[in-house]
Amino acid sequence: MFTRKTKSTIDSLIGMSTSIKGDVGFKGGLRIDGQINGNINAETGQPSVLVISEHAKVVGEVRAAHLIVNGEITGDVHSTELLELQPKARITGNVYYKALEMHGGALVSGKLSHDQATEETPVLKLAASSEA
């Protein structure tokens, strides 16, 4: 049903002993094991993979194409492709996703909203009636 891309390399790592206060922008792959107090944004229109490990804690909005969560996020989450919530995932905020994979034990305290692309929806037009 869903195809997984094999090109999901991690380009950058924020280690367990690292704490960042401020926004983080990235492209490609990013793994977070530490703490971030700020928004995390992947470059829009580009393939991206963000891994929030079980040791990670993020306070802020998170935006990425493919997002794998096994840690804690306090803030809204936006995934434009696939969102994987692993057993130790804890999200406090609203979640917007295109495709969702949720394992037993994952917890979301907020709204889950399926993002339906409006440009992919075909528009039906009625045939024009001709009066004679």
Side-chain angles (χ1 to χ4, degrees), residues 101-116:
E101 180 179 317
M102 188 168 182
H103 294 252
L107 177 65
V108 175
S109 297
K111 291 191 299 185
L112 289 172
S113 298
H114 182 256
D115 183 28
Q116 296 177 340

Side-chain angles (χ1 to χ4, degrees), residues 77 79 94-100 110-116:
V77 174
S79 174
N94 297 325
V95 176
Y96 305 91
Y97 63 92
K98 184 174 181 181
L100 176 66
K111 291 191 299 185
L112 289 172
S113 298
H114 182 256
D115 183 28
Q116 296 177 340

